[in-house]
Amino acid sequence: MGQTEAIIELESVSMAFVTRPRGGSHRALLALDNVSARIERGSFVTLVGPSGCGKSTILKLVAGLLRPTAGRVLYKGRPVQAVNTDVGFVTQDDNLLPWRNLLENVQLALELRGVPRPQREQRALELIERVGLKGFEHHYPHELSGGMRKRASIIRTLVYDPDVLLMDEPFGPLDAQTRMVLQDELLRLWQGSGKTILFVTHDLVESVALSDRILVFSRAPGRILKEYVVDIPRPRDVFHIHEAPNFNRIFDSLWNDIRGQLLEQRFRARAEEASA
Ligand code: ADP
Ligand code: MG
């Protein structure tokens, strides 16, 4: 075959949710429509697309938090049939436990796995130092800045060394400068780790800066419209990514795809309004 090994495979995945608008009857909402993709081991793949196109749903399917209505989700060659504890999930909210300090939050997953205190503290302290949080070990989440809490939530996931990181708009609420610093740190943590990252963002610059491949989704029901290979050499300078060769070509084309989807969405909403 000559292909690199896939760690995650989506085979003709469709996902319908049954919803019940207040006072109405049950309705099926198709969130994903026949999506197929393979994510190679060790790669950094980003999903972009209009809001509601099913990006978060894909991460939840890979994490085993949802089951597809049709098709299969394979993880390391096997269908995902239960909660997939092999992956780390970083969501937009940092979900740190407010009653635990930074060190206690970071080592939580190891504690749950029964790793003895000296080992788990050592591992947590290493990661805390790597992301520049040394000195804040005994601070509680409310005593940390947004960027610091975000770092904490990422290393809290890395602490148990998952092969795959699922990241759902992790840098969404941060200011532009902090985002770039965190993107840079994430690339450093990932580079050479062999880990696979499946990342969701609505920021097209971020998608180009970080990924090997970008999958562009259509408006709902989500389908893969297009796929980009980001052939910008690594290590990358996220602070000057717009100066990289090929940046403009990929960014312009991505923007064109997304704009088309947004216009179509708006056009459809108007047509619905008019016919109502
Ligand atoms: P995205 O992350 O791309 O914004 P989502 O994957 O969150 O999109 O959602 C895709 C669609 O599925 C949306 O219309 C959303 O309202 C719907 N949806 C997601 N999760 C559920 C759920 N648990 N129950 C009902 N509808 C859902
Ligand atoms: Mg989402």
Side-chain angles (χ1 to χ4, degrees), residues 156-173:
R156 186 185 62 160
T157 306
L158 287 174
V159 80
Y160 57 92
D161 207 24
D163 287 341
V164 171
L165 273 184
L166 306 173
M167 306 184 83
D168 198 352
E169 308 201 30
F171 305 145

Side-chain angles (χ1 to χ4, degrees), residues 177 180-182 184 188 236-243:
Q177 280 74 25
M180 271 192 276
V181 170
L182 280 159
D184 179 61
R188 285 163 199 271
R236 292 185 190 162
D237 176 358
V238 299
F239 303 97
H240 299 96
I241 196 69
H242 49 282
E243 292 162 22

Side-chain angles (χ1 to χ4, degrees), residues 17-19 29 31 50-58 60 66 168:
F17 291 106
V18 177
T19 60
L29 178 137
S51 163
C53 71
K55 303 178 297 292
S56 298
T57 300
I58 295 216
K60 288 177 195 157
L66 292 173
D168 198 352

Side-chain angles (χ1 to χ4, degrees), residues 18-138:
V18 177
T19 60
R20 189 170 179 206
R22 197 192 293 250
S25 50
H26 293 280
R27 276 209 315 206
L29 178 137
L30 191 59
L32 293 171
D33 184 15
N34 197 16
V35 172
S36 295
R38 56 196 307 285
I39 312 295
E40 287 166 4
R41 191 185 278 271
S43 64
F44 197 129
V45 177
T46 296
L47 313 179
V48 300
S51 163
C53 71
K55 303 178 297 292
S56 298
T57 300
I58 295 216
L59 299 193
K60 288 177 195 157
L61 287 165
V62 174
L65 303 174
L66 292 173
R67 229 47 90 241
T69 322
R72 295 201 305 169
V73 178
L74 303 182
Y75 181 80
K76 295 184 176 171
R78 297 215 186 92
V80 177
Q81 274 161 345
V83 174
N84 184 355
T85 53
D86 208 48
V87 300
F89 207 151
V90 180
T91 54
Q92 186 162 354
D93 321 305
D94 49 55
N95 294 322
L96 297 172
L97 301 176
W99 60 88
R100 289 186 148 229
N101 67 29
L102 173 64
L103 181 59
E104 291 163 346
N105 263 293
V106 172
Q107 56 177 304
L108 176 65
L110 296 183
E111 204 175 309
L112 296 175
R113 280 159 206 234
V115 176
R117 182 187 288 271
Q119 277 102 305
R120 63 179 201 245
E121 279 199 359
Q122 194 199 337
R123 172 84 181 132
L125 288 170
E126 261 169 44
L127 285 167
I128 286 172
E129 185 163 0
R130 269 193 83 176
V131 295
L133 290 178
K134 200 172 172 190
F136 294 92
E137 295 84 349
H138 302 292

Side-chain angles (χ1 to χ4, degrees), residues 240-261:
H240 299 96
I241 196 69
H242 49 282
E243 292 162 22
N246 299 329
F247 175 86
N248 282 324
R249 180 180 52 80
I250 300 170
F251 179 84
D252 289 346
S253 183
L254 268 173
W255 173 230
N256 213 34
D257 296 343
I258 298 288
R259 203 175 52 129
Q261 289 306 304

